[in-house]
Amino acid sequence: MKKRFGIRKGRSKAETDTYSAAWNAWCAAVLREVRFQPDHRAIRKELLAHLEDGRADLERLGYDTALAEQRALEAMGSAFVVGCAMDQAHHPFWGWLWRLTRWLMLALLAAAVGITVRDSGTVNDALSRTAEQLQWTEPAAGADRVETEYATLWLAPGEVTEEGGVFQADLYIWVEMRDPFGYSPDGLWRYLEVADDQGAVPCYARQPDGTWPETGYWDYWERTGKAWTRYQATIRLTLDRRPAWVEVTYPYGKNDWTLRAEWEGAS
């Protein structure tokens, strides 16, 4: 039998007046035997539904409304017997146990949400990081690779296009940070030096919109100490010649590095 909570014990006068005095009195007598008060309204609604069904059946057989209500009530039997049966079905022990279980589940859910918010900032932030994780693609098989104190980096050549004597060459770069909380890759873009087989390349930009990271991967487990952040982006070069190879260099500090990308078949 379905239990409902948070319902007023009392009934409005309009609701009571909908049914005959005999029906209301019989329902009240049944409910006096039911100890679990929170279920009284649901029980009364169920009893009245049975009475209404009985009245409707008798009216279809030709009984007038008053007689149909009387016979339907008689068919329901003793209010005391029905009340005792309802009391067993809605025993206070099971009723309060169900309520306490429901409250406990809500409390555990609230605690779980609180832990998630505490550990990841916000739920939206956690979902956003998960979405970024799915966007990471592994570095190309032939990508040049270098390891520094803070990160592992890869560089691979991309497409080269030409229009009106102006060449655009794409470089794909991947960065995997070992400590996302202690070091940021943002400074890379301010200090990178790019050169091809004919000298320095003064004009390059990140694609598609100049923001870093283009995609990212985040994972952190406090117990194991495993933490990293993965980024990948495209560097687009603007040249007046088709490059045979390009080197990207970070020349500052003890973590200086150089990565090289070569285009197959380039002269």
Side-chain angles (χ1 to χ4, degrees):
M1 202 168 292
K2 189 175 182 180
K3 294 177 170 57
R4 299 185 181 184
F5 305 109
I7 300 174
R8 292 180 295 106
K9 296 178 184 177
R11 301 186 300 274
S12 67
K13 187 175 184 301
E15 181 185 0
T16 303
D17 291 346
T18 302
Y19 305 101
S20 68
W23 281 20
N24 287 325
W26 185 85
C27 288
V30 170
L31 294 177
R32 280 196 292 271
E33 306 304 323
V34 181
R35 289 167 290 172
F36 192 57
Q37 293 276 337
D39 279 359
H40 276 199
R41 185 169 181 178
I43 294 170
R44 183 175 187 275
K45 184 176 181 180
E46 181 180 351
L47 296 172
L48 290 171
H50 285 297
L51 287 166
E52 288 174 339
D53 289 342
R55 179 181 63 189
D57 290 341
L58 291 169
E59 286 178 336
R60 281 193 292 270
L61 294 175
Y63 286 73
D64 63 63
T65 299
L67 184 57
E69 286 186 353
Q70 178 185 341
R71 294 295 172 82
L73 184 58
E74 291 172 356
M76 293 291 287
S78 166
F80 175 76
V81 173
V82 174
C84 289
M86 288 291 181
D87 182 61
Q88 290 301 310
H90 296 260
H91 196 281
F93 174 80
W94 299 114
W96 288 117
L97 179 63
W98 171 249
R99 269 196 161 190
L100 290 172
T101 302
R102 186 168 176 262
W103 292 336
L104 179 60
M105 293 301 294
L106 290 173
L108 290 174
L109 178 61
V113 171
I115 291 172
T116 301
V117 171
R118 182 198 67 191
D119 289 348
S120 64
T122 64
V123 173
N124 286 338
D125 184 50
L127 293 175
S128 174
R129 293 184 186 278
T130 301
E132 289 175 349
Q133 170 180 341
L134 299 177
Q135 296 175 30
W136 169 265
T137 58
E138 292 299 320
D144 195 15
R145 179 174 178 269
V146 66
E147 290 200 23
T148 72
E149 179 181 355
Y150 299 106
T152 303
L153 302 97
W154 295 262
L155 186 73
E159 185 180 10
V160 178
T161 59
E162 184 267 335
E163 184 176 352
V166 177
F167 293 84
Q168 287 192 333
D170 287 345
L171 298 172
Y172 304 132
I173 186 168
W174 295 261
V175 182
E176 182 176 84
M177 310 302 301
R178 269 183 273 285
D179 182 5
F181 306 106
Y183 183 79
S184 168
D186 292 342
L188 289 177
W189 299 111
R190 290 194 294 270
Y191 303 115
L192 287 183
E193 294 181 357
V194 181
D196 68 357
D197 52 306
Q198 299 188 37
V201 178
C203 187
Y204 70 90
R206 277 176 295 156
Q207 299 295 321
D209 57 3
T211 60
W212 177 269
E214 180 181 340
T215 60
Y217 175 103
W218 181 91
D219 192 7
Y220 177 66
W221 296 96
E222 185 174 355
R223 292 181 180 178
T224 62
K226 181 177 69 174
W228 65 80
T229 303
R230 289 176 173 175
Y231 303 94
Q232 61 189 99
T234 301
I235 302 174
R236 177 157 293 173
L237 312 178
T238 302
L239 305 166
D240 59 2
R241 68 270 181 184
R242 181 180 295 273
W245 53 262
V246 168
E247 288 186 343
V248 177
T249 301
Y250 183 79
Y252 297 97
K254 62 180 180 180
N255 286 290
D256 60 311
W257 50 264
T258 298
L259 288 169
R260 183 183 179 101
E262 296 185 6
W263 281 266
E264 293 183 4
S267 57

